Amino acid sequence: MARTQRTPFVILGLLGLSGRQPRSGYEIKKAIDTVISHVWSESLGQLYPVLKQLTAEGLVSAQDRKEGRRKKIVYTITPKGKERLHSWLESQVELSKPRDELILKLFFGSETEVAVLIRHLEAHRDRTKAILSQCLEWQKQKDRNSVRSRPFLLITIRAGIALSEASLRWAEESLETLRAMPARKAKP
Amino acid sequence: MARTQRTPFVILGLLGLSGRQPRSGYEIKKAIDTVISHVWSESLGQLYPVLKQLTAEGLVSAQDRKEGRRKKIVYTITPKGKERLHSWLESQVELSKPRDELILKLFFGSETEVAVLIRHLEAHRDRTKAILSQCLEWQKQKDRNSVRSRPFLLITIRAGIALSEASLRWAEESLETLRAMPARKAKP
DNA sequence: TTTGGCATGTAATCCGTTACATGATTAG
DNA sequence: CTAATCATGTAACGGATTACATGCCAAA
């Protein structure tokens, strides 16, 4: 048996947030890819089947809608769906198994050239910088609107800031260490 | 098609590290669960088949060994395996899709009680504290032996320290925010 | 007209986990 | 004697990704 499905709960959560309009699968995907992009990810090939599954279980309800001339299927969470969402939110956080390819490669660093590791770290640094400035931008926008209106969004954003700042500092520090090393393999 | 297999490369990496004795599947599992436990994880049900697969491909070779009275199968990396390892180390780091259940639950925080979120955060804080002190312990041990002897292990450990310190600070900060909030749901 | 975004879906594939199964050895 | 650890495996299951397939609409 594989681990339990988590996709249903992102959907339920996104549809369940108070004051939300009904959303289509495509819109849910876009929401995931923007607001919570560095916390979660889903593929459309997973979203559509799960949306059907949730409809069959009566956790969401589907409505056909014509917007302009385009037609789409929008979903609304049902009371039963809200219940399911609540009990998931209350259940223990399931920790995901770590799988950090960058650090793993650094751990095996003695088996390759230092220049390779530097390249990996620089790429990581650049990616992390981009995420950090994205998060800082969001934080600034939230501050402009009142802080207390959406405290949970802010907590999420601040997690992104804290983690990427730390990762950035570690990357810079490690780059210095590596640059001070001889250019050859550590153990040729 | 699912994403490409990564298990072979942890095995190859662990067997490839210079100055390593041949290891059995069970020993590889133990190595993963200790030295790189917060960077990577594998199940035995995955390790044994992959070990066979690697043997069939000629990337590792298997030897039966009697240690004391117990018998085990130990594996050694072959030149072909070393090659494969090197080219993987040189290839671009594949970034894993984020899936952080804790932050996701906090993002949906308005749909549950603050007390629930506090419970989740406290559990996270405690887990993270444990990891941090584990890493600090390892760092101290490495410092006693010369620092320059195994720079890559130190970099790995320092990643663990940096990330868990940041996560810890964020958790404490968020806990304060939540404790200052009314005990009811944010949006009842 | 053609590129790109909106929109929904299915099929193939497979990585990895959990559970099951078995047995030897050692420490309490 | 019995629980834990060492040790190796197989089977079932399923979650999730990638690739494929299709079509509309708007803008450049």
Side-chain angles (χ1 to χ4, degrees), chain A residues 102-137:
Chain A
L102 173 71
I103 304 187
L104 189 67
K105 283 187 174 176
L106 285 167
F107 180 73
F108 296 142
S110 60
E111 303 313 303
T112 190
E113 280 155 52
V114 174
V116 167
L117 303 174
I118 289 176
R119 210 180 60 222
H120 292 332
L121 264 172
E122 282 173 343
H124 172 73
R125 178 201 58 194
D126 295 343
R127 281 193 301 266
T128 310
K129 265 188 185 165
I131 292 172
L132 176 58
S133 59
Q134 172 78 274
C135 287
L136 288 171
E137 182 56 35

Side-chain angles (χ1 to χ4, degrees), chain A residues 42 90 99 119 158 173, chain B residues 42 90 99 119 173:
Chain A
E42 289 292 344
E90 282 159 29
R99 273 213 151 188
R119 210 180 60 222
R158 290 194 59 77
E173 174 200 292
Chain B
E42 290 293 343
E90 282 158 29
R99 265 217 141 202
R119 211 181 59 224
E173 173 200 295

Side-chain angles (χ1 to χ4, degrees), chain B residues 112-122 178 182-185:
Chain B
T112 191
E113 279 155 50
V114 175
V116 167
L117 302 174
I118 290 176
R119 211 181 59 224
H120 291 332
L121 265 172
E122 282 172 344
L178 292 182
R184 302 162 285 98
K185 293 190 188 182

Side-chain angles (χ1 to χ4, degrees), chain A residues 13-57:
Chain A
L14 250 16
L15 294 178
L17 280 180
S18 321
R20 287 285 167 208
Q21 313 280 41
R23 286 167 181 271
S24 67
Y26 196 84
E27 286 166 342
I28 289 170
K29 167 70 173 160
K30 295 207 81 177
I32 293 169
D33 285 347
T34 55
V35 209
I36 49 172
S37 53
H38 28 282
V39 174
W40 208 263
S41 77
E42 289 292 344
S43 60
L44 279 169
Q46 174 78 343
L47 281 175
Y48 286 118
V50 172
L51 241 9
K52 283 212 160 170
Q53 179 192 314
L54 291 174
T55 309
E57 288 179 80

Side-chain angles (χ1 to χ4, degrees), chain A residues 79-184:
Chain A
K80 201 175 157 192
K82 276 236 162 192
E83 248 177 70
R84 181 71 63 89
L85 173 62
H86 295 336
S87 75
W88 175 73
L89 284 171
E90 282 159 29
S91 71
Q92 249 192 324
V93 172
E94 226 149 312
L95 2 94
S96 50
K97 317 268 142 145
R99 273 213 151 188
D100 192 316
E101 210 178 287
L102 173 71
I103 304 187
L104 189 67
K105 283 187 174 176
L106 285 167
F107 180 73
F108 296 142
S110 60
E111 303 313 303
T112 190
E113 280 155 52
V114 174
V116 167
L117 303 174
I118 289 176
R119 210 180 60 222
H120 292 332
L121 264 172
E122 282 173 343
H124 172 73
R125 178 201 58 194
D126 295 343
R127 281 193 301 266
T128 310
K129 265 188 185 165
I131 292 172
L132 176 58
S133 59
Q134 172 78 274
C135 287
L136 288 171
E137 182 56 35
W138 283 336
Q139 189 185 225
K140 213 163 62 182
Q141 279 169 20
K142 286 308 122 192
D143 277 350
R144 242 181 287 149
N145 324 340
S146 68
V147 182
R148 30 192 79 231
S149 70
R150 300 175 69 188
F152 301 111
L153 179 55
L154 196 65
I155 286 175
T156 307
I157 293 170
R158 290 194 59 77
I161 293 172
L163 267 346
S164 45
E165 273 179 351
S167 195
L168 207 51
R169 272 198 304 273
W170 163 78
E172 305 272 24
E173 174 200 292
S174 304
L175 276 169
E176 274 183 54
T177 307
L178 293 182
R179 287 192 185 116
M181 282 176 66
R184 302 161 285 97

Side-chain angles (χ1 to χ4, degrees), chain B residues 52-71:
Chain B
K52 285 212 160 169
Q53 178 192 314
L54 290 174
T55 309
E57 288 178 80
L59 300 172
V60 302
S61 67
Q63 296 96 37
D64 282 17
R65 173 172 299 182
K66 276 170 239 116
E67 210 155 85
R69 214 160 292 156
R70 272 206 186 86
K71 51 187 163 182

Side-chain angles (χ1 to χ4, degrees), chain B residues 2-161:
Chain B
R3 76 174 325 89
T4 45
Q5 234 179 338
R6 276 112 50 120
T7 306
F9 298 108
V10 208
I11 297 175
L12 254 20
L14 250 16
L15 295 178
L17 280 180
S18 321
R20 288 286 166 205
Q21 314 278 39
R23 286 166 180 270
S24 67
Y26 196 83
E27 286 166 341
I28 289 170
K29 167 69 173 160
K30 295 207 83 177
I32 293 170
D33 285 347
T34 55
V35 210
I36 48 172
S37 54
H38 27 283
V39 174
W40 209 263
S41 77
E42 290 293 343
S43 59
L44 278 169
Q46 174 79 342
L47 281 175
Y48 285 119
V50 172
L51 240 11
K52 285 212 160 169
Q53 178 192 314
L54 290 174
T55 309
E57 288 178 80
L59 300 172
V60 302
S61 67
Q63 296 96 37
D64 282 17
R65 173 172 299 182
K66 276 170 239 116
E67 210 155 85
R69 214 160 292 156
R70 272 206 186 86
K71 51 187 163 182
K72 54 167 94 170
I73 309 165
V74 293
Y75 296 88
T76 317
I77 193 167
T78 64
K80 201 175 155 192
K82 277 235 165 194
E83 247 177 71
R84 181 69 63 90
L85 173 62
H86 295 336
S87 76
W88 176 73
L89 284 170
E90 282 158 29
S91 71
Q92 248 193 325
V93 172
E94 226 150 312
L95 2 93
S96 51
K97 316 269 142 145
R99 265 217 141 202
D100 191 317
E101 209 178 287
L102 173 71
I103 304 188
L104 189 67
K105 282 187 175 176
L106 286 167
F107 180 72
F108 297 143
S110 60
E111 305 312 304
T112 191
E113 279 155 50
V114 175
V116 167
L117 302 174
I118 290 176
R119 211 181 59 224
H120 291 332
L121 265 172
E122 282 172 344
H124 172 74
R125 177 201 58 195
D126 295 344
R127 283 193 301 266
T128 310
K129 264 187 186 165
I131 293 172
L132 176 58
S133 61
Q134 171 78 275
C135 288
L136 288 171
E137 182 56 36
W138 282 336
Q139 188 185 226
K140 211 164 64 184
Q141 280 171 20
K142 286 309 122 191
D143 278 348
R144 242 180 287 150
N145 326 339
S146 68
V147 182
R148 31 192 78 230
S149 70
R150 300 175 69 189
F152 300 111
L153 179 54
L154 197 64
I155 286 175
T156 307
I157 292 170
R158 291 194 57 78
I161 293 172

